[in-house]
Amino acid sequence: MYESKVRVSIFGLGYVGLATAVCLASRGFPVIGVDIDLKKVSAINNGECYIYEPGIEELIKEVREKGLLKATSNPTESILNTDFTFITVSTPTNPNGSVDLTAVEYATKSIATSLKGKKGYHLVVVKSTVPPGTTEGLVKKILEEFSEKRVGIDLGLCANPEFLREGRAIEDTFKPDRIVIGECDKRAGDVLERFYKEFYGDDMPPLLRTNAVNAELIKYVNNAFLAMKVSFINMVADLCQKIDGADVDIVAKGIGLDKRIGSLFLKAGAGWGGSCLPKDLEALKNLYSKYGERAPLIDATIEVNDHRPNKLIELAERITGGLNKKRVAILGLSFKPDTDDMRNAVSIKIINTLINKGAIVTVFDPKAMDNARRIFGERVNYSKDVIDCIKGAECAILVTEWSEFAKLKPEDFIKYMKDPCIVDGRRVFDPKEFLKKTKFATIGLKIDGL
Ligand code: NAD
């Protein structure tokens, strides 16, 4: 079907779309990125990056120099000059917990309208996380209506959920655990499988081909299971916190060695946040209620997580004797290390509670300071580095486990803080070492006097 490499258009140049675009282009696939945000379009065309993601900036420069990536806000230009289109627009949550599909609808309409004037087969791939039935229902209907073509004949359509992790987006795109293709017809599945085989070569990951509904469900269920694992170990942490000699890190290590459980996503801490888990769990919960089914494990997973920020605040209150008018340093703002993304970050809830309790908050994050300024404005103080952040503080709370924080020693806190009260919300510091020299509290470990 294709003499040269498949040409790809990608609608939505956020964390997923941009990572996908640069990775495809770096392996020789010509990519046209499409976004309604003109700032993103011009940044890419100037070889600049607007998110923090390890390795992405270098790749943008490389593929721009080779002429393999360009961006536009013009859907028709991109559709007429490509063979495949990936939809990677955002799918946020509506106030009632359902998924807001406005961006998917809008993007699909513009793709379909542009396809009307195009000759030849074109494959449309939904990578955005969408509720079961969206690809075969909404997307297919809009595509056929506005392109005046038939899915399965003139057009191919697949759901192909994305599993990359922010902070590891490039690595995960080049080496995913698996690929799930939810095909609306066999030809579309064959074409997409062939494309991935060309992209991955000898490193082809395990591939699951199924219908679109299963593919869409797999994404939500996957995220719910991961969140449940984290909430489970956080629940265990609360028990460990009460029992002399118990330590959640050791308990997690012990159960993680059981192959049926596995060690990943068993780190107790301040809870999960970010752009995916909270919204995807909300969407799954909404789906259960739509079908009149109960989802107690999902409810409990969310409930445990909702209490995590308060657990840290309680520890901070106990260790300091009260937070009113106390100078509190927050180490880490992004929802996890190696990203600047603060969507639904736990740090936001913690900081808002601290402010309500009368604390004077100073923050530092290696990459998320611009996003933090947009969220907190004048309500907090911003530091240029971690030492500047803890200087003169009466309490330091580690919220995001950036590797540079792990290098801090008790002596650093003693030297720069007014009163070295430290709350480790991610089990980064060695409790034995810190307890000898500072007032210290952490998750899932009983500490005398607290
Ligand atoms: P994002 O908010 O970072 O990016 C979405 C982009 O789509 C924005 O740049 C926006 O301007 C653009 N957009 C909106 N409407 C458009 C339109 N009509 N045409 C072209 N562009 C349009 O979102 P994201 O984090 O990259 O997530 C995208 C999807 O992938 C979501 O469904 C999400 O659930 C899913 N996902 C995200 C991750 C992640 O780690 N961020 C991982 C897996 C799956």
Coordinates of all heavy atoms in Angstrom, one line a residue, residues 12-16 34-37 40 88-91 103 106-107 128-129 162 164 166 219 275-276 279 343, ligand 1:
G12 N -3.7 16.9 18.5 CA -3.6 17.0 19.9 C -2.1 16.9 20.3 O -1.6 15.7 20.4
L13 N -1.4 18.0 20.5 CA 0.0 17.9 20.8 C 0.3 18.2 22.2 O 1.2 19.0 22.6 CB 0.8 18.9 19.9 CG 0.6 18.6 18.4 CD1 1.1 19.8 17.5 CD2 1.3 17.3 18.0
G14 N -0.4 17.5 23.1 CA -0.1 17.5 24.6 C 1.0 16.5 24.9 O 1.8 16.1 24.1
Y15 N 0.9 16.0 26.1 CA 2.0 15.1 26.6 C 2.0 13.8 25.7 O 3.1 13.3 25.4 CB 1.7 14.7 28.1 CG 2.1 15.9 29.0 CD1 1.1 16.9 29.3 CD2 3.3 15.9 29.6 CE1 1.5 17.9 30.1 CE2 3.7 17.0 30.4 CZ 2.7 18.0 30.7 OH 3.1 19.0 31.5
V16 N 0.9 13.2 25.4 CA 0.8 12.0 24.6 C 1.1 12.3 23.1 O 2.0 11.6 22.5 CB -0.6 11.3 24.7 CG1 -0.7 10.2 23.7 CG2 -0.8 10.8 26.2
V34 N -1.1 18.5 14.7 CA -2.2 19.4 14.6 C -2.7 19.8 16.0 O -2.9 18.9 16.8 CB -3.4 18.9 13.8 CG1 -4.5 19.9 13.6 CG2 -2.9 18.3 12.5
D35 N -2.7 21.1 16.3 CA -3.3 21.5 17.6 C -4.1 22.8 17.4 O -3.7 23.7 16.5 CB -2.2 21.7 18.6 CG -2.7 21.5 20.0 OD1 -3.5 22.3 20.5 OD2 -2.4 20.5 20.6
I36 N -5.1 23.0 18.2 CA -5.8 24.3 18.2 C -5.1 25.4 18.9 O -5.4 26.6 18.8 CB -7.3 24.1 18.7 CG1 -7.2 23.4 20.1 CG2 -8.2 23.4 17.8 CD1 -8.5 23.4 20.8
D37 N -4.1 25.0 19.7 CA -3.3 25.9 20.5 C -2.1 26.4 19.6 O -1.2 25.7 19.4 CB -2.8 25.2 21.8 CG -2.1 26.2 22.7 OD1 -1.6 27.2 22.2 OD2 -1.9 25.8 23.9
K40 N 1.5 26.2 20.8 CA 2.2 24.9 20.7 C 2.6 24.7 19.2 O 3.7 24.2 19.0 CB 1.2 23.8 21.1 CG 0.9 23.8 22.6 CD 0.1 22.7 23.1 CE -0.1 22.8 24.6 NZ -1.1 21.8 25.1
T88 N -5.2 12.3 19.8 CA -4.6 12.3 21.1 C -5.0 13.6 21.9 O -4.2 14.2 22.6 CB -3.0 12.3 21.0 OG1 -2.6 13.4 20.1 CG2 -2.5 11.0 20.5
V89 N -6.3 14.0 21.7 CA -6.8 15.2 22.4 C -7.2 14.8 23.8 O -7.3 13.6 24.1 CB -8.0 15.8 21.6 CG1 -7.5 16.3 20.2 CG2 -9.1 14.8 21.5
S90 N -7.4 15.8 24.6 CA -7.7 15.6 26.0 C -9.1 15.1 26.2 O -10.0 15.4 25.4 CB -7.5 16.8 26.9 OG -7.7 18.0 26.1
T91 N -9.3 14.3 27.2 CA -10.7 13.8 27.6 C -10.9 14.0 29.1 O -10.9 13.1 29.9 CB -10.8 12.3 27.2 OG1 -9.7 11.6 27.7 CG2 -10.9 12.0 25.7
A103 N -13.6 17.5 22.9 CA -12.4 17.7 22.1 C -12.3 16.5 21.0 O -11.9 16.7 19.9 CB -11.2 17.7 22.9
Y106 N -14.9 17.3 18.3 CA -14.4 18.5 17.5 C -13.3 18.0 16.6 O -13.3 18.3 15.4 CB -14.0 19.6 18.4 CG -13.7 20.9 17.7 CD1 -14.7 21.8 17.4 CD2 -12.4 21.2 17.5 CE1 -14.4 23.0 16.7 CE2 -12.1 22.4 16.8 CZ -13.1 23.3 16.4 OH -12.8 24.4 15.8
A107 N -12.3 17.3 17.1 CA -11.2 16.8 16.3 C -11.7 15.9 15.2 O -11.3 16.0 14.0 CB -10.2 16.1 17.2
S128 N -6.7 8.7 22.4 CA -7.2 9.3 23.6 C -7.9 8.2 24.5 O -8.5 7.3 23.9 CB -8.2 10.4 23.3 OG -7.6 11.5 22.6
T129 N -8.0 8.4 25.8 CA -8.7 7.5 26.6 C -10.2 7.8 26.6 O -10.6 8.9 27.0 CB -8.2 7.6 28.1 OG1 -6.8 7.4 28.1 CG2 -8.9 6.6 29.0
E162 N -3.4 4.4 24.9 CA -2.0 4.7 25.2 C -1.7 4.5 26.6 O -2.5 4.8 27.5 CB -1.7 6.2 24.9 CG -0.4 6.7 25.1 CD 0.7 5.9 24.4 OE1 0.7 5.9 23.2 OE2 1.5 5.2 25.1
L164 N 1.6 5.1 28.0 CA 2.9 5.7 28.4 C 2.7 6.5 29.8 O 1.6 6.9 30.1 CB 3.4 6.7 27.4 CG 2.6 8.0 27.0 CD1 2.8 9.1 28.0 CD2 3.1 8.4 25.6
E166 N 3.9 9.7 32.0 CA 4.6 11.0 32.0 C 5.9 10.8 32.8 O 6.0 10.2 33.8 CB 3.8 12.1 32.6 CG 2.7 12.6 31.6 CD 1.8 13.7 32.1 OE1 2.3 14.5 32.9 OE2 0.7 13.7 31.7
K219 N -7.9 0.1 29.0 CA -7.3 1.3 29.5 C -7.8 1.8 30.8 O -7.0 2.0 31.8 CB -7.4 2.5 28.4 CG -6.9 3.8 28.9 CD -5.3 3.7 29.0 CE -4.9 5.0 29.8 NZ -3.4 4.9 30.1
S275 N -2.8 13.6 35.6 CA -3.8 13.9 34.6 C -4.6 12.6 34.2 O -5.6 12.7 33.5 CB -3.1 14.4 33.3 OG -2.3 13.4 32.9
C276 N -4.2 11.5 34.7 CA -4.9 10.2 34.3 C -5.7 9.5 35.4 O -6.9 9.3 35.2 CB -3.9 9.3 33.6 SG -3.4 9.9 32.0
K279 N -9.0 11.1 36.9 CA -10.1 11.2 35.9 C -10.6 9.9 35.4 O -11.8 9.6 35.2 CB -9.7 12.2 34.8 CG -9.0 11.6 33.6 CD -8.9 12.5 32.4 CE -8.0 12.0 31.4 NZ -8.3 10.7 30.8
R343 N -1.4 18.7 37.0 CA -2.8 18.4 37.0 C -3.2 17.4 38.1 O -2.6 16.4 38.2 CB -3.3 17.8 35.6 CG -3.2 18.9 34.5 CD -3.6 18.3 33.2 NE -2.5 17.6 32.6 CZ -2.6 17.0 31.4 NH1 -3.7 17.1 30.6 NH2 -1.6 16.3 30.9
Ligands
NAD1 P1 -3.1 17.3 27.0 O1 -4.2 18.0 27.7 O2 -1.7 17.4 27.5 O3 -3.1 17.5 25.4 C1 -4.2 17.6 24.6 C2 -4.0 18.5 23.5 O4 -5.1 18.4 22.6 C3 -3.8 20.0 23.8 O5 -2.6 20.5 23.3 C4 -5.0 20.6 23.2 O6 -4.8 21.9 22.8 C5 -5.2 19.7 22.0 N1 -6.6 19.8 21.4 C6 -7.8 19.9 21.9 N2 -8.7 19.9 21.0 C7 -8.1 19.7 19.8 C8 -8.6 19.6 18.5 N3 -9.9 19.7 18.2 N4 -7.7 19.5 17.5 C9 -6.4 19.4 17.8 N5 -5.9 19.5 19.0 C10 -6.8 19.7 20.0 O7 -3.6 15.7 27.1 P2 -2.6 14.4 27.3 O8 -2.2 14.4 28.7 O9 -1.7 14.4 26.2 O10 -3.7 13.3 27.1 C11 -4.4 13.1 25.9 C12 -5.2 11.8 25.9 O11 -4.3 10.7 26.2 C13 -6.2 11.8 27.1 O12 -7.4 11.1 26.6 C14 -5.5 11.1 28.2 O13 -6.4 10.5 29.1 C15 -4.8 10.0 27.4 N6 -3.5 9.6 28.1 C16 -2.7 10.5 28.7 C17 -1.5 10.0 29.3 C18 -0.6 11.0 30.1 O14 0.3 10.5 30.8 N7 -0.8 12.3 30.0 C19 -1.2 8.7 29.3 C20 -2.0 7.8 28.6 C21 -3.2 8.2 28.0

